[in-house]
Amino acid sequence: MTQQNEPPFWLQHLGELEAGLGADARGLTQKEAGLRLAEYGHNVMRTHRERALLAQFLLRINNPLILLLLAAAFISALTGEVTGSFIIGGIVLMSVTLDFIQERHAERTVEKLRKSVAVHASVLRDGRVREISVEDVVPGDVVQLAAGDIVPADARVLEARDFFVNQALLTGEAFPVEKHAGELDGTGAEGEEIGAATNAVFMGTSVISGSARVLVCRTGAATTLGEISQSLAHKAPLTAFEIGTRQFGFLILRMTFLLVLFVLLANAFMHRPMLESLLFALALAVGLTPELLPMVVTVTLARGAMRMARRHVIMKQMTAIQNLGGMDVLCTDKTGTLTEARITLKRHLDVHERDSAEVLRLAYLNSYFETGLRSPLDEAILAHEGVDAAGWQKIDEVPFDFERRRVSVLVDNGRTRMLVVKGAPEDVLRLSRHYADTPSTHKPLDAEMRARIQQLYDSLGREGFRVLGIACREVARDHPHAVVGDESELIFAGCAAFFDPPKQSAAAALAALARDGVSVKIITGDNELVTRHVCKELGLEISGVLSGEQIQHLDDQAL
């Protein structure tokens, strides 16, 4: 849909992008959408046709050993050994059938996992919103997205309000990403990476909160997710096990041919009857053929696949079991594989870098009384034990927005009315005039203390934490509402630090791999500081780091 030498759609000027798509924020007409559907095709990732079941079954016979066994069965039948012919043919049929059924079962399981994209989308057609099938979304459509939606295509953000998207599917990043309308600076290779596309959304990612209107730029196989799907849809190269069995089959075939030829020539030299010599040579060929080998191999691999299934591992291709056992390098994702993919509140610190129950209490009150869809950070705070909001009631709230980057709630416990603020550390610190020296005393916030607090944020960031600033201020008991102007003269309480913790089983698994001589490489969309911290927690030594930008500048040989 775009020329290969053009920049990614999120770096193009919106006017040029709309002109190229022949569309704008008003959306398409139903007639135009129909024409584009005929031109671009349905919005589906899989474009290759699946072979018929019979063809898939017959392709499994294309193996030297299987062909040799079938030839032996045919020859046995010609020589009158009908029983032997049926036995050999039956063994081959059982082996191929068992292999076919096992892999078909795995493919059906994988297909169920693949169906994770939304069924319908809200698009602007003929000037009004219509619910259509995701498959019918075309480039140029304007789609409305809200919390809980799955993004149906790659699109440019036209309007956004409190719009958070989880794109861990593509980047591995566990934290929601803020998306907004606007132009991006296209300089540098970093701007072409998906993580930098803050004005675009991608097929298969999910909306965490807020709402947006987006202009569809790429659909189906042309999307980022579609390109990944296409790369995985190519026929996989033969595994080492398949190559080995094929080579063994060819070896048996060559030996059989040479021995049969030798027997015929020897008998001819000794003037033996030709028919008798031929029958003896054919009997020798059948005897040399390992009839039970395919069956033994298939049954052994099937038992291995069943053992793996009991451990919740799907072997889509049974012959990959041997590759798994023989690997010497394992490339793994980080989020959800080495970590829990579940954000937790790790630390709640005051300005003196001490764990503070008061900071935790304030953060909890803010998240507990905040309305709207809670972010994963709010969920992490509320999941923390030892805090109770009983006795407090909410009076008013200043909701979160991306310009302020904070949320404030006005609460009262019958004795004190207090505004509690939680948000981006630098913004909360900027609005503060005092800091809590102890839970009951506060002091003026001078330049030296501001520098110390900034240093605390920086050190937590280097350790891989996501940080929120927490502040508060008392207001008069008759103060009825909370407004943006109240977010001033705050008392800075401290900060809350969040982390995606490593899995308890990951360290032991990595140690076991190391003992077996398997080198582990982590491929992640998360930032380097977070990844280094996770590796340190898991006891995994880092020998080097290669960024996506560096990889883009490497040719295949250098990589």
Side-chain angles (χ1 to χ4, degrees):
M1 298 167 199
T2 57
Q3 300 298 322
Q4 289 189 355
N5 58 350
E6 288 185 358
F9 67 89
W10 58 86
L11 294 180
Q12 297 181 38
H13 190 276
L14 182 58
E16 296 175 356
L17 185 63
E18 290 178 339
L21 289 169
D24 54 32
R26 294 172 295 181
L28 302 174
T29 64
Q30 197 68 19
K31 180 180 179 181
E32 176 64 21
L35 295 174
R36 295 191 181 205
L37 187 63
E39 179 182 356
Y40 295 114
H42 286 285
N43 181 30
V44 292
M45 290 185 292
R46 297 181 64 185
T47 58
H48 64 284
R49 294 181 61 185
E50 193 175 82
R51 290 190 180 97
L53 291 180
L54 180 60
Q56 294 181 46
F57 182 82
L58 293 176
L59 280 174
R60 297 176 187 278
I61 300 175
N62 185 24
N63 181 291
L65 200 55
I66 297 294
L67 294 174
L68 182 60
L69 288 173
L70 291 176
F74 179 71
I75 293 169
S76 295
L78 289 180
T79 58
E81 293 289 337
V82 179
T83 303
S85 175
F86 274 113
I87 291 174
I88 296 173
I91 291 173
V92 171
L93 182 63
M94 288 170 61
S95 174
V96 173
T97 302
L98 181 61
D99 185 40
F100 175 75
I101 291 174
Q102 181 71 27
E103 293 194 8
R104 281 292 299 174
H105 175 70
E107 287 174 2
R108 285 196 297 269
T109 305
V110 172
E111 190 62 32
K112 289 178 183 177
L113 297 176
R114 198 194 305 272
K115 295 177 180 178
S116 59
V117 179
V119 178
H120 293 90
S122 300
V123 301
L124 199 61
R125 295 270 178 91
D126 295 320
R128 62 190 183 91
V129 177
R130 296 173 180 262
E131 289 286 327
I132 67 168
S133 169
V134 165
E135 293 186 359
D136 296 332
V137 172
V138 296
D141 264 328
V142 174
V143 178
Q144 292 190 351
L145 297 172
D149 288 344
I150 302 293
V151 178
D154 288 2
R156 181 75 173 265
V157 178
L158 300 175
E159 299 175 9
R161 180 178 177 83
D162 301 344
F163 193 47
F164 274 111
V165 175
N166 184 333
Q167 51 189 34
L169 176 72
L170 300 176
T171 66
E173 174 59 70
F175 293 87
V177 180
E178 172 192 353
K179 300 289 185 176
H180 53 76
E183 307 290 343
L184 297 179
D185 180 13
T187 58
E190 288 185 354
E192 298 187 4
E193 295 182 3
I194 292 175
T198 56
N199 64 347
V201 290
F202 299 92
M203 184 180 193
T205 59
S206 56
V207 181
I208 298 297
S209 64
S211 59
R213 296 176 70 189
V214 300
L215 176 66
V216 173
C217 301
R218 302 189 304 200
T219 59
T223 63
T224 301
L225 189 62
E227 290 172 0
I228 295 173
S229 177
Q230 288 295 306
S231 69
L232 297 177
H234 295 314
K235 181 175 174 57
L238 294 176
T239 65
F241 185 81
E242 288 174 315
I243 293 172
T245 54
R246 281 177 177 271
Q247 290 175 344
F248 179 73
F250 281 121
L251 175 64
I252 294 294
L253 189 62
R254 285 194 294 268
M255 288 180 60
T256 302
F257 177 77
L258 291 174
L259 283 172
V260 169
L261 186 62
F262 174 76
V263 168
L264 285 173
L265 290 174
N267 284 332
F269 179 76
M270 298 175 66
H271 304 288
R272 296 279 180 87
M274 184 56 72
L275 179 59
E276 182 180 329
S277 300
L278 179 61
L279 291 175
F280 177 75
L282 292 177
L284 181 63
V286 172
L288 287 171
T289 305
E291 288 90 351
L292 284 175
L293 181 60
M295 189 66 179
V296 170
V297 169
T298 301
V299 170
T300 304
L301 291 177
R303 282 182 59 83
M306 291 169 65
R307 288 180 62 190
M308 298 291 284
R310 285 195 291 269
R311 299 187 177 208
H312 310 291
V313 177
I314 299 172
M315 299 304 302
K316 188 176 178 182
Q317 190 177 7
M318 287 199 300
T319 52
I321 292 177
Q322 192 272 345
N323 273 10
L324 181 64
M327 71 178 171
D328 53 11
V329 176
L330 172 65
C331 298
T332 176
D333 184 27
K334 177 184 70 65
T335 305
T337 305
L338 299 179
T339 68
E340 297 284 357
R342 175 178 50 82
I343 300 166
T344 59
L345 176 60
K346 191 79 171 180
R347 306 182 70 182
H348 36 89
L349 306 173
D350 63 14
V351 296
H352 301 296
E353 302 186 35
R354 301 173 302 204
D355 283 337
S356 170
E358 179 64 14
V359 171
L360 175 60
R361 184 177 72 95
L362 292 173
Y364 191 93
L365 288 174
N366 182 285
S367 296
Y368 184 83
F369 289 112
E370 180 185 354
T371 57
L373 189 67
R374 292 191 174 106
S375 73
L377 301 182
D378 290 313
E379 298 291 350
I381 293 172
L382 296 176
H384 206 284
E385 298 178 353
V387 188
D388 189 4
W392 291 91
Q393 63 175 353
K394 177 180 174 181
I395 306 301
D396 200 7
E397 175 183 6
V398 184
F400 178 89
D401 67 60
F402 288 108
E403 292 185 5
R404 291 168 41 251
R405 300 197 302 170
R406 57 188 178 272
V407 58
S408 301
V409 294
L410 185 62
V411 294
D412 193 304
N413 66 353
R415 301 181 304 277
T416 304
R417 184 161 292 192
M418 178 173 58
L419 184 74
V420 183
V421 182
K422 178 189 77 209
E426 57 272 23
D427 289 336
V428 175
L429 183 61
R430 177 176 52 82
L431 296 169
S432 299
R433 293 294 176 266
H434 296 80
Y435 70 92
D437 189 46
T438 68
S440 57
T441 62
H442 54 84
K443 295 181 178 180
L445 188 59
D446 55 20
E448 181 181 354
M449 181 53 70
R450 287 182 185 274
R452 284 181 58 183
I453 295 172
Q454 186 62 50
Q455 186 177 3
L456 172 61
Y457 289 153
D458 294 340
S459 65
L460 289 171
R462 284 192 294 271
E463 293 180 31
F465 289 101
R466 298 297 174 98
V467 183
L468 288 178
I470 310 295
C472 65
R473 61 169 289 204
E474 288 192 20
V475 298
R477 292 294 308 283
D478 59 353
H479 197 80
H481 300 292
V483 295
V484 174
D486 292 333
E487 298 173 333
S488 60
E489 302 294 329
L490 300 176
I491 301 171
F492 188 85
C495 59
F498 302 85
F499 192 60
D500 181 11
K503 285 183 178 177
Q504 293 182 354
S505 59
L510 291 172
L513 287 168
R515 286 195 302 270
D516 290 339
V518 179
S519 174
V520 176
K521 312 292 181 185
I522 297 177
I523 303 175
T524 178
D526 214 337
N527 70 62
E528 181 181 336
L529 292 175
V530 173
T531 306
R532 284 184 177 274
H533 184 75
V534 169
C535 290
K536 182 179 178 181
E537 292 273 314
L538 294 173
L540 183 63
E541 184 178 349
I542 299 176
S543 58
V545 177
L546 193 62
S547 70
E549 183 181 5
Q550 291 172 316
I551 290 176
Q552 287 183 345
H553 290 91
L554 296 178
D555 57 28
D556 290 343
Q557 185 176 359
L559 180 58

